Amino acid sequence: MRKTFFIFLVLFTISSFSQIVIKGTVFQQNSPLENVAVYLNNTMLGTTTDENGEFSISVKSGQYDLIVSYLGFKKINYSLNTATYSKPLVFALEEDDEMLNEIIIKKTVYDEEWEHNLAVFKTEFLGKTLLAKDCEILNPEILYFEYNSKSQILTAFARKPIQLKHKGLGYSIIYELEHFKRTSEYVTYLGYSRYKELKGGKRKQKRWQKNRLKAYNGSPVHFFKSLLKDEFTAEGFIVNQFKRVPNPERPTELEIKAARELIKLNRNTKFVIPSKDAKPTTALDAAWVTVRKAKLPKSADYLYKSQLQKDDIITTINGAFKLSFENNISIVYKNELEEMGYIIRNIFSKKREPTFQTSSLIPMEKNIYVDKTGVLVNPLAVFNEGYWSYEKFANSLPLDYEPVGSSQ
């Protein structure tokens, strides 16, 4: 199963206190730059500089990732804390001589191979959910792909920011792709996004609100927000703890390699492959049994604690929220069922009745912190499996989204 990392480089906190106006100026070699994009990553808060290179953004007090972006120049990611902000910011942009280097210079050939890679990119970036069908890339021609057939690695680059229109959620989105890599086992992508509301009548607005709430419910942001308030159980989440160990039924890699070599040495020998139920009587029989078992999962999960409480999952250290559980956790969301697309997402998947949405959170580091907005301070610190890996960018919301009628 291909695994997916979601990396949005989101490191900021939005609180519900007073509004603060952030002002600044953007220069290039002491000359003001006009039309430079200045925005808070993964939100609807942003603007562009005027003819004097000046900008102004009204924000709630808190900590943000402030992005300063202009094509052909190195992007600036500024950690903004309104508590320490006291005077206008000044940014000096530098030309990006290495931007995509020769890759950008190459002329893209829009042939069948490019079309195929584009289809793969859309699937791995936007996803296969119902909402993904309503999310359109408006300028796919800016994408360039490289595929290494030997390593089976697909890499994507973008000459300009990707423009998306999400008719399901009611947003136009600008996504500045920094990295996209797809291997036979996993997908990683990262970038900066800014959202803007689409215009629509009452009917569309009602549908968008419904879809946004559906995208929010059961999401990682929903889980972590409710966890911090100790309301995750009431919100429909059940958290269990499990340990992942090597599958004792599966042979070791050395045993599998030796078995394949033995079969290869005897490929010209007349031999009847034993049935699955037959007991091996020769070394060659045993080799075939070993090769068959190579298809078994490499690891097995053992549940050892169910229905965890807040103190079992997260702790507060000097005002910071840190995940404190051992091994891994399974997160079940009871208030929504799986989509059929998730059930039949793999080639050999069989149709079954949908059940609760279940995701696994696998820590990749020891110290993992959660921001007040419900996002991880370091997105690379965990690995998501299950339903959370199925819901990709098309199911993402701006971090300043507030569920209708919610006090969050």
Side-chain angles (χ1 to χ4, degrees), residues 188-229:
T188 60
Y189 61 84
L190 61 87
Y192 303 91
S193 55
R194 43 192 164 130
Y195 289 74
K196 185 179 179 180
E197 294 263 10
L198 291 177
K199 294 182 179 180
K202 291 183 178 179
R203 195 171 185 177
K204 284 186 176 180
Q205 293 290 344
K206 186 176 181 180
R207 182 169 69 90
W208 290 338
Q209 291 294 340
K210 181 180 179 181
N211 286 344
R212 290 172 188 176
L213 186 60
K214 182 177 176 62
Y216 174 80
N217 287 336
S219 67
V221 172
H222 180 199
F223 170 69
F224 284 120
K225 276 188 174 182
S226 62
L227 174 65
L228 295 180
K229 292 185 176 184

Side-chain angles (χ1 to χ4, degrees), residues 267-280:
R267 63 179 179 273
N268 295 323
T269 303
K270 289 185 178 181
F271 178 74
V272 178
I273 299 175
S275 63
K276 292 182 179 179
D277 299 328
K279 292 183 178 181

Side-chain angles (χ1 to χ4, degrees), residues 217-245:
N217 287 336
S219 67
V221 172
H222 180 199
F223 170 69
F224 284 120
K225 276 188 174 182
S226 62
L227 174 65
L228 295 180
K229 292 185 176 184
D230 199 10
E231 297 174 352
F232 67 98
T233 302
E235 290 284 330
F237 293 99
I238 298 175
V239 182
N240 302 318
Q241 198 166 8
F242 70 92
K243 187 176 183 180
R244 179 163 292 174
V245 298

Side-chain angles (χ1 to χ4, degrees), residues 78-114:
Y78 178 75
S79 182
L80 171 66
N81 190 332
T82 60
T84 58
Y85 170 79
S86 59
K87 50 188 175 181
L89 303 170
V90 178
F91 297 107
L93 291 183
E94 299 178 6
E95 290 189 30
D96 190 359
D97 297 329
E98 299 181 357
M99 192 177 80
L100 297 188
N101 295 325
E102 298 178 0
I103 295 172
I104 278 297
I105 299 174
K106 289 182 180 179
K107 184 178 180 180
T108 302
V109 179
Y110 301 103
D111 53 10
E112 289 185 3
E113 182 181 1
W114 182 87

Side-chain angles (χ1 to χ4, degrees), residues 57-172:
I57 305 177
S58 180
V59 305
K60 295 179 181 179
S61 60
Q63 185 172 328
Y64 301 83
D65 253 5
L66 181 70
I67 309 301
V68 182
S69 176
Y70 195 61
L71 188 63
F73 291 80
K74 294 180 180 179
K75 191 182 283 88
I76 293 176
N77 184 344
Y78 178 75
S79 182
L80 171 66
N81 190 332
T82 60
T84 58
Y85 170 79
S86 59
K87 50 188 175 181
L89 303 170
V90 178
F91 297 107
L93 291 183
E94 299 178 6
E95 290 189 30
D96 190 359
D97 297 329
E98 299 181 357
M99 192 177 80
L100 297 188
N101 295 325
E102 298 178 0
I103 295 172
I104 278 297
I105 299 174
K106 289 182 180 179
K107 184 178 180 180
T108 302
V109 179
Y110 301 103
D111 53 10
E112 289 185 3
E113 182 181 1
W114 182 87
E115 292 284 352
H116 172 75
N117 290 332
L118 176 63
V120 173
F121 175 81
K122 287 180 178 179
T123 296
E124 301 295 0
F125 176 58
L126 299 177
K128 291 184 178 181
T129 63
L130 296 176
L131 282 173
K133 297 177 182 179
D134 287 329
C135 190
E136 178 186 3
I137 297 177
L138 301 179
N139 57 342
E141 69 279 358
I142 57 93
L143 290 166
Y144 174 82
F145 305 103
E146 284 190 342
Y147 180 69
N148 187 317
S149 57
K150 186 175 181 180
S151 61
Q152 295 184 321
I153 294 177
L154 175 68
T155 310
F157 308 88
R159 294 180 175 85
K160 298 178 181 179
I162 301 174
Q163 300 174 18
L164 302 106
K165 183 178 182 180
H166 204 318
K167 294 182 288 186
L169 294 177
Y171 295 119
S172 64

Side-chain angles (χ1 to χ4, degrees), residues 150-386:
K150 186 175 181 180
S151 61
Q152 295 184 321
I153 294 177
L154 175 68
T155 310
F157 308 88
R159 294 180 175 85
K160 298 178 181 179
I162 301 174
Q163 300 174 18
L164 302 106
K165 183 178 182 180
H166 204 318
K167 294 182 288 186
L169 294 177
Y171 295 119
S172 64
I173 309 168
I174 300 296
Y175 188 85
E176 299 190 57
L177 181 69
E178 295 289 313
H179 163 87
F180 176 91
K181 183 178 180 180
R182 173 190 182 267
T183 74
S184 58
E185 296 182 346
Y186 63 86
V187 177
T188 60
Y189 61 84
L190 61 87
Y192 303 91
S193 55
R194 43 192 164 130
Y195 289 74
K196 185 179 179 180
E197 294 263 10
L198 291 177
K199 294 182 179 180
K202 291 183 178 179
R203 195 171 185 177
K204 284 186 176 180
Q205 293 290 344
K206 186 176 181 180
R207 182 169 69 90
W208 290 338
Q209 291 294 340
K210 181 180 179 181
N211 286 344
R212 290 172 188 176
L213 186 60
K214 182 177 176 62
Y216 174 80
N217 287 336
S219 67
V221 172
H222 180 199
F223 170 69
F224 284 120
K225 276 188 174 182
S226 62
L227 174 65
L228 295 180
K229 292 185 176 184
D230 199 10
E231 297 174 352
F232 67 98
T233 302
E235 290 284 330
F237 293 99
I238 298 175
V239 182
N240 302 318
Q241 198 166 8
F242 70 92
K243 187 176 183 180
R244 179 163 292 174
V245 298
N247 186 354
E249 299 296 325
R250 187 180 189 273
T252 65
E253 294 300 323
L254 287 176
E255 290 171 336
I256 294 170
K257 182 179 180 181
R260 286 173 175 165
E261 289 177 351
L262 181 60
I263 292 172
K264 186 178 180 180
L265 288 172
N266 289 272
R267 63 179 179 273
N268 295 323
T269 303
K270 289 185 178 181
F271 178 74
V272 178
I273 299 175
S275 63
K276 292 182 179 179
D277 299 328
K279 292 183 178 181
T281 57
T282 66
L284 198 53
D285 287 346
W288 275 104
V289 172
T290 298
V291 169
R292 283 196 180 117
K293 288 184 177 181
K295 297 179 181 179
L296 294 173
K298 292 184 179 181
S299 59
D301 296 340
Y302 294 93
L303 177 71
Y304 65 90
K305 190 173 183 179
S306 59
Q307 299 188 13
L308 271 62
Q309 302 300 309
K310 178 185 177 181
D311 292 342
D312 299 321
I313 306 169
I314 198 166
T315 187
T316 304
I317 302 177
N318 297 325
F321 303 104
K322 179 183 177 182
L323 296 182
S324 55
F325 60 86
E326 293 183 350
N327 297 311
N328 317 289
I329 56 174
S330 171
I331 302 155
V332 181
Y333 184 60
K334 301 187 300 177
N335 293 349
E336 282 186 9
L337 297 179
E338 305 160 320
E339 290 183 358
M340 185 54 65
Y342 173 74
I343 296 172
I344 59 173
R345 65 194 183 282
N346 298 320
I347 297 176
F348 300 106
S349 299
K350 295 181 179 180
K351 286 187 177 182
R352 57 172 173 77
E353 288 297 317
T355 185
F356 299 144
Q357 299 172 2
T358 302
S359 307
S360 294
L361 193 152
I362 315 297
M364 305 299 289
E365 296 181 2
K366 289 185 177 180
N367 298 315
I368 304 173
Y369 292 91
V370 181
D371 189 79
K372 293 179 181 178
T373 56
V375 298
L376 296 171
V377 172
N378 178 12
L380 291 174
V382 303
F383 182 71
N384 291 331
E385 295 178 346

